[in-house]
Structures are given as C-alpha cells and as structure tokens.
Amino acid sequence: MTREPFRIGVDLGGTKTEAIAMGPTGETLARRRAPTPAHDYAAVLATIGGLVLDLEREIGGRGSVGVGTPGVISPRTGLVKNSNTTGLNGRPLDKDLAALLERPVRLENDANCFALSEAVDGAGAGARSVFGVILGTGVGGGIVVDGKVLQGVNKVAGEWGHTPLPWMTPDEFPGRLCYCGHYGCVETFLAGPALAFDYGQRSGAEANGEEIAARAAAGEAAARHALEVYRDRLSRALAAIVNLLDPDVIVLGGGVSNIDFIYEGLRDLVEKQAFSDAIDTRILRNVHGDSGGVRGAAWLWGGPDRGT
C-alpha cells in the first residue's frame, strides 16, 4: 500500500545512523537504524542511501529526504565544515547524497534539527522563537524563528558551545582548552564529560551524569555539589542567550538534560543573571528525546499538515 505524501528524516550520528518516515501530521510510519561507518565516506553515503530505500520499499512510495549531520555545509566552499565526524569535513555531502538518491536532499546541522523538531511539535510548539540546547558529549544549539531554522550568514548561528562561559569566577578562569583552540568555552564546562570531570575532581571517583544524579539523590555531598555548580554555570550561559536572543522558549536536550536536578530552580537562577527585571522565558525539557534530531531532519521539508 502506498502512503503519500511522507517525509524521510536521517540523523547521521557518530556511532549510529537513524532514519524515519513520517506521515503528513508527524506520525512515524517506519524506522531504521544502522551503525555509522564514520571513517569511510563512501560507506556513509551507502548507509544513508540504503536506509532511505529500505523505508521506501516498506511504505511503497518516494519521500522527501532531510539529513541532520554534525557540522554544516560551508557557504563559501559548499563542503562540510566543523564536523566532529571528521571524515565528513571537506566533502560535498548534500550534493553526493542528492546524486545517489536522484532527488534534492536538504541537509542541516543536527542541533538545528533538534531545535526544529521541538519547535514544530515538541516542547516549543506554538512559540514564535525557540532556542534548542544540546547538553551531551558536546554542547550545541539551534535557533528557530517562525518555524524556520536561523542559519546565519556563516551557518554557525546557535553555536553557543564555543562562546566563553559568562561571568567566570576566579577559580574558573581561564578554563580548560577546548578542541576548537580557545580556553573557557561553554562546552568545556557543560558537556557531559565536563560534569564527570568536575565530579571526579571533587570526589576522586569516576561516574557519568546518570550515576552522578543517582548519587546526589542518595545524599552524596560531592555529587550534589557537582550538580549545583553545573546548574549555576548553565544558568549563566542561558542568561547570556536570553540577553542576546530573548527567545520565547529554551528547550534542553542531550543526555545531561535527563537529570531532574538541573531543572530545580534553574529558571530563577537565569532570571537573576539576565539583564531584565524579570523574564517570561520558558525553560523546558524536550518532548521527543533521542528522536528529536531525526524528526527535525524530516521537517526540513516543511511543517505538518494540520488539515482545515
């Protein structure tokens, strides 16, 4: 049976690639996953192509294709830049995929796809402006205004992870060296590995974010202190976003966003830091979880058909 129209979204991750087919109102029709052959560009193309064709064979039709990827297409060269899946850098990924699939392909940064997903039918649905936050292995962000991704002239809009942590304390300054070459980037303070590092410095023990949260809930002082410091730093970084963009909604995503503790009093802390007498900004947990990126990639071809 043919179901049309439908959109295909692909989330190209460092370890896995996920693809879904979505119906007109955002319903999931089919889903596929495969390991990402991150160090073999030709195999990456073949993996994406295979997932798309598998979905189309199952559904019985031909869909539009959007792809979320680490990095962006440089407006100057037409090649991927800033990808931590380094085998993509310097490659014309969008053009190669379009040739392979014999149709136009829309490609966007994965954090922008997350923000778009949450703006269309997630935590930020109905808001005019949404800032999507990724707090995971790295720190990323995306900006959506009136349902459209704001890319910027250099296609780096939303890259708050590579701005300095605001209002550093003397013991924080100058911060650790970031892979981008600068010291004190937000990413070096708010990525999941940064939380684990800070906890290890205080406790002498190793733990990931989920484990730190469990230890804090069980009353461990070092774990609670690490999360309190993390939440304070997050509030400062988000206050800078409020000062610069003043979005209606900030949606938190990524693995660290699953820690309940960081939401406790977070908005009040942001309000104290922001350049305003009060803020009406909503700071929310994401709705779509790990599916945000792949759904956002599908929505690159337009929002849902709400009917009449």
Side-chain angles (χ1 to χ4, degrees):
M1 177 180 178
T2 300
R3 299 186 188 182
E4 290 187 317
F6 64 92
R7 302 170 175 83
I8 292 174
V10 180
D11 184 14
L12 176 58
T15 58
K16 68 174 175 64
T17 300
E18 182 175 14
I20 64 168
M22 290 198 327
T25 60
E27 67 274 24
T28 298
L29 305 177
R31 184 186 298 265
R32 292 284 187 279
R33 285 186 177 183
T36 300
H39 303 292
D40 186 337
Y41 180 70
V44 167
L45 295 176
T47 296
I48 294 173
L51 291 171
V52 169
L53 295 179
D54 282 349
L55 289 173
E56 291 182 332
R57 278 192 290 267
E58 177 176 344
I59 295 168
R62 185 176 173 91
S64 60
V65 178
V67 178
T69 177
V72 295
I73 298 293
S74 166
R76 181 167 295 186
T77 67
L79 308 175
V80 175
K81 66 175 181 178
N82 296 349
S83 176
N84 55 11
T85 302
T86 55
L88 302 179
N89 289 323
R91 302 282 194 168
L93 181 60
D94 55 341
K95 294 182 177 63
D96 287 343
L97 285 174
L100 177 67
L101 295 170
E102 299 180 333
R103 75 195 82 173
V105 172
R106 293 184 179 174
L107 188 145
E108 187 55 81
N109 175 264
D110 49 7
N112 289 346
C113 289
F114 164 77
L116 181 60
S117 173
E118 292 297 328
V120 170
D121 63 352
R128 185 181 177 206
S129 58
V130 176
F131 186 77
V133 166
I134 301 293
L135 301 171
T137 304
V139 171
I143 305 164
V144 175
V145 179
D146 292 333
K148 304 291 185 182
V149 172
L150 179 63
Q151 295 179 321
V153 68
N154 301 300
K155 293 196 175 180
V156 294
E159 289 289 3
W160 72 309
H162 296 285
T163 60
L165 180 71
W167 309 297
M168 283 190 195
T169 61
D171 63 306
E172 292 171 336
F173 187 82
R176 295 192 295 275
L177 179 66
C178 183
Y179 77 88
C180 73
H182 295 290
Y183 286 88
C185 286
V186 164
E187 180 162 309
T188 66
F189 288 99
L190 295 183
L195 173 59
F197 176 83
D198 286 344
Y199 171 71
Q201 291 290 100
R202 300 173 195 282
S203 68
E206 293 186 3
N208 60 30
E210 183 179 357
E211 293 165 340
I212 294 167
R215 294 178 187 186
E220 184 185 305
R224 184 174 181 85
H225 184 62
L227 289 175
E228 287 173 346
V229 170
Y230 182 94
R231 183 176 56 194
D232 173 70
R233 291 168 174 168
L234 176 60
S235 74
R236 284 182 264 157
L238 294 182
I241 295 299
V242 171
N243 289 351
L244 184 65
L245 295 176
D246 204 9
D248 296 334
V249 180
I250 296 173
V251 183
L252 305 189
V256 182
S257 74
N258 295 324
I259 299 176
D260 293 337
F261 185 95
I262 67 172
Y263 296 90
E264 296 174 10
L266 177 61
R267 189 179 172 281
D268 291 340
L269 288 172
V270 173
E271 185 170 78
K272 290 178 182 178
Q273 304 281 356
F275 187 61
S276 179
D277 60 335
I279 64 170
D280 293 319
T281 314
R282 289 177 285 153
I283 301 174
L284 305 172
R285 190 194 305 250
N286 67 85
V287 166
H288 293 301
D290 292 342
S291 295
V294 73
R295 291 178 62 84
W299 289 137
L300 292 172
W301 286 91
D305 179 5
R306 303 298 189 189
T308 56

